[in-house]
């Protein structure tokens, strides 16, 4: 099979993400020729399971991540990142309940057959792709019995269905981060610094725009003060009391201004990179008694989906190779150093809690 160029491959990833978000079908293929059709569970309608079965010529399976399986009271081996469960005659509403709703011990059924799936498997790659599309990582998957690539290509072409290669999913995040380039920069007077400058970054791959704010001396010193801040519309813009994000943002910028300068890297990673809609779903689960970590797990996500490679690339573009990092999160330090940025000092922040975010802050500390 002819190797696609990077540009065409990643254009297809973006097109396929849009297709999934409108409830469409995608064919996913592994390097060994194994392939299948899948749809996002949360957007399925009556009759969609039958369509997948007819297209593939095999039974449909519900794909759930290891975190969702654990929240349902079951367990998988450490080598398994997800599991498949036969769809059988379950209604779409039942599949959605199994995938998204507040866990119920009986929602799967005592006799449900759960098959663990390894990392890199067809099922695992569907959950990774759904994360790229900012959808709940649960799919209905129907494997194609034949590994004949010519047959698969013809089948997809006849049905006007996009084919996505697993290798392109694996490389998507890295390639998107590495394609980040400065797109614009302008002076923006701020309360903390009237001479602040905003530097916009755009990725050639994907549609997320990140930016940096240069305060005071900015990048002019050898090891500037830096804060990596993930987008939080509810906290940063609306002033939500459920988190401490807005206070962290303002405190970090004041720390920089008081010290003479620094760099704020603002990352388009809403809800620890699960997206605003899924963050609201997690909030709804928290209203029912779950903490922020358990709520993410119930929805099938990891505790933290963020990767800080984009931040490292932004800092590289600004000429920053070593820094003093404002953070309470050790993962930010380890990731930055993994990507070649030297963290010379950690500068902690102490944000007071309120009655609405006490549990949230306690969970983060733990």
């Amino acid at each position: 099979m002819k190797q696609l160029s990077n540009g065409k491959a990643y254009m297809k990833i973006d097109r396929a993400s849009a297709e999934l978000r409108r409830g469409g079908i995608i064919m996913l293929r592994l390097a060994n020729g194994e392939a299948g059709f899948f749809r996002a569970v949360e957007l399925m309608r009556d009759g969609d399971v039958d369509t997948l079965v007819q297209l593939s010529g095999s039974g449909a399976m519900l794909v759930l991540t290891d975190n969702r399986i654990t929240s349902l009271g079951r367990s998988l081996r450490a080598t398994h990142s997800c599991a498949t469960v036969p769809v059988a005659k379950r209604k779409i509403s039942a599949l959605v309940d199994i995938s998204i709703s507040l866990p119920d011990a009986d929602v799967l059924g005592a006799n449900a057959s759960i098959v663990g799936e390894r990392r890199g498997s067809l099922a695992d790659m569907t959950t990774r792709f759904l994360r790229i599309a900012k959808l709940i990582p649960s799919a209905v998957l129907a494997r194609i019995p034949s590994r004949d690539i010519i047959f698969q290509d013809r089948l997809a072409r006849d049905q006007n269905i996009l084919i996505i290669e697993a290798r392109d999913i694996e490389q998507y995040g890295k390639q998107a981060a590495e394609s980040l380039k400065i797109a614009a920069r302008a002076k923006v007077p701020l309360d903390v610094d009237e001479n602040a400058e905003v530097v916009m970054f755009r990725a050639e791959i994907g549609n997320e725009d990140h930016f940096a704010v240069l305060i005071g001396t900015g990048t002019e010193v050898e090891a500037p003060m830096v804060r990596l801040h993930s987008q939080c519309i509810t906290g940063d813009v609306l002033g939500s009391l459920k988190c401490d994000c807005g206070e962290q943002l303002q405190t970090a910028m004041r720390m920089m201004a008081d010290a003479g300068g620094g760099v704020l890297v603002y990352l388009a990673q809403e809800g620890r990179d699960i997206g605003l809609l899924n963050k609201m779903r997690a909030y709804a689960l928290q209203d029912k008694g779950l903490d922020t970590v358990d709520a993410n797990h119930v929805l099938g996500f990891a505790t933290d989906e963020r990767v800080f490679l984009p931040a490292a690339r932004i800092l590289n573009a600004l000429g920053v190779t070593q820094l003093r990092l404002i953070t309470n999160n050790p993962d930010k330090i380890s990731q930055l150093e993994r990507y070649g940025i030297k963290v010379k000092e950690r500068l902690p922040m102490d944000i007071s809690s309120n009655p609405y975010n006490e549990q949230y802050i306690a969970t983060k500390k733990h």
Side-chain angles (χ1 to χ4, degrees):
M1 181 178 62
K2 184 179 179 180
Q3 175 72 34
L4 289 168
S5 69
N6 277 350
K8 291 183 179 179
Y10 292 111
M11 283 174 61
K12 287 181 70 175
I13 291 283
D14 290 337
R15 287 174 56 203
S17 294
E19 182 70 10
L20 284 173
R21 290 178 65 85
R22 76 168 190 84
I25 298 174
I26 297 298
M27 181 190 289
L28 176 61
R29 180 160 58 204
L30 304 184
N32 63 7
E34 184 181 356
F37 293 110
F38 77 98
R39 261 184 165 130
V41 166
E42 63 176 294
L43 295 168
M44 291 186 67
R45 301 171 293 272
D46 290 339
D48 284 352
V49 172
D50 292 339
T51 300
L52 286 171
V53 170
Q54 291 166 6
L55 281 173
S56 66
S58 68
M61 309 293 289
L62 176 64
V63 181
L64 302 170
T65 68
D66 54 350
N67 283 321
R68 180 61 185 178
I69 287 289
T70 300
S71 75
L72 293 173
R74 307 298 179 89
S75 61
L76 298 174
R77 294 179 181 176
T79 53
H80 294 156
S81 62
C82 62
T84 50
V85 180
V87 168
K89 296 187 180 296
R90 298 181 195 265
K91 296 181 178 179
I92 296 298
S93 58
L95 298 178
V96 172
D97 283 344
I98 294 171
S99 304
I100 300 175
S101 67
L102 192 66
D104 182 321
D106 299 323
V107 72
L108 266 178
N111 298 319
S113 175
I114 300 173
V115 178
E117 301 280 354
R118 294 181 180 274
R119 289 171 179 80
S121 66
L122 203 59
D124 175 59
M125 298 311 296
T126 66
T127 67
R128 295 197 209 179
F129 196 7
L130 289 164
R131 287 178 169 93
I132 290 173
K134 294 296 189 289
L135 294 169
I136 294 291
S138 178
V140 172
L141 168 69
R143 292 182 173 88
I144 299 170
S146 172
R147 295 195 181 190
D148 184 329
I149 291 175
I150 295 175
F151 167 77
Q152 295 167 1
D153 286 348
R154 185 171 62 249
L155 178 60
R157 185 174 59 251
D158 289 347
Q159 300 297 325
N160 196 28
I161 292 173
L162 282 169
I163 303 175
I164 297 301
E165 309 292 340
R167 62 175 176 270
D168 297 327
I169 297 173
E170 291 176 328
Q171 293 298 315
Y172 185 84
K174 179 181 178 182
Q175 293 293 334
E178 291 179 344
S179 74
L180 280 168
K181 290 182 174 59
I182 295 176
R185 57 196 309 162
K187 294 288 186 180
V188 180
L190 303 176
D191 285 343
V192 296
D193 178 15
E194 294 180 356
N195 295 308
E197 183 180 15
V198 173
V199 185
M200 292 299 307
F201 287 81
R202 173 172 289 168
E204 295 176 358
I205 296 165
N207 57 3
E208 292 178 334
D209 294 336
H210 310 284
F211 65 87
V213 181
L214 309 185
I215 295 172
T217 55
T219 61
E220 296 170 13
V221 298
E222 183 180 18
M225 188 180 290
V226 172
R227 165 72 180 170
L228 308 185
H229 189 88
S230 296
Q231 174 183 299
C232 177
I233 290 176
T234 49
D236 300 342
V237 179
L238 302 179
S240 168
L241 299 177
K242 283 182 70 73
C243 66
D244 59 348
C245 301
E247 290 179 89
Q248 285 191 357
L249 176 62
Q250 297 301 323
T251 299
M253 289 195 295
R254 283 195 297 269
M255 288 173 65
M256 294 175 194
D258 292 344
V263 181
L264 169 74
V265 178
Y266 197 92
L267 301 163
Q269 297 177 333
E270 182 75 46
R272 294 199 177 96
D273 213 20
I274 67 174
L276 183 58
L277 189 155
N278 290 324
K279 177 175 152 181
M280 290 301 103
R281 286 169 165 158
Y283 274 9
L285 291 171
Q286 290 171 40
D287 290 340
K288 296 177 181 179
L290 298 183
D291 67 29
T292 182
V293 171
D294 289 339
N296 274 23
H297 290 178
V298 164
L299 295 175
F301 294 105
T303 300
D304 193 338
E305 294 280 345
R306 291 176 297 179
V307 174
F308 293 107
L309 179 58
R313 294 294 176 258
I314 288 170
L315 291 167
N316 285 152
L318 295 173
V320 177
T321 57
Q322 52 184 333
L323 50 79
R324 294 175 296 142
L325 190 65
I326 303 172
T327 187
N328 296 330
N329 183 352
D331 188 43
K332 288 182 179 178
I333 298 173
S334 61
Q335 285 204 43
L336 281 181
E337 294 196 326
R338 187 187 315 153
Y339 300 132
I341 303 292
K342 175 65 177 176
V343 179
K344 297 189 71 173
E345 183 182 1
R346 182 181 78 86
L347 305 172
M349 274 196 297
D350 185 15
I351 304 296
S352 299
S353 62
N354 64 58
Y356 300 97
N357 67 16
E358 285 177 339
Q359 185 183 16
Y360 169 79
I361 291 177
T363 300
K364 283 208 302 181
K365 288 180 178 178
H366 175 68

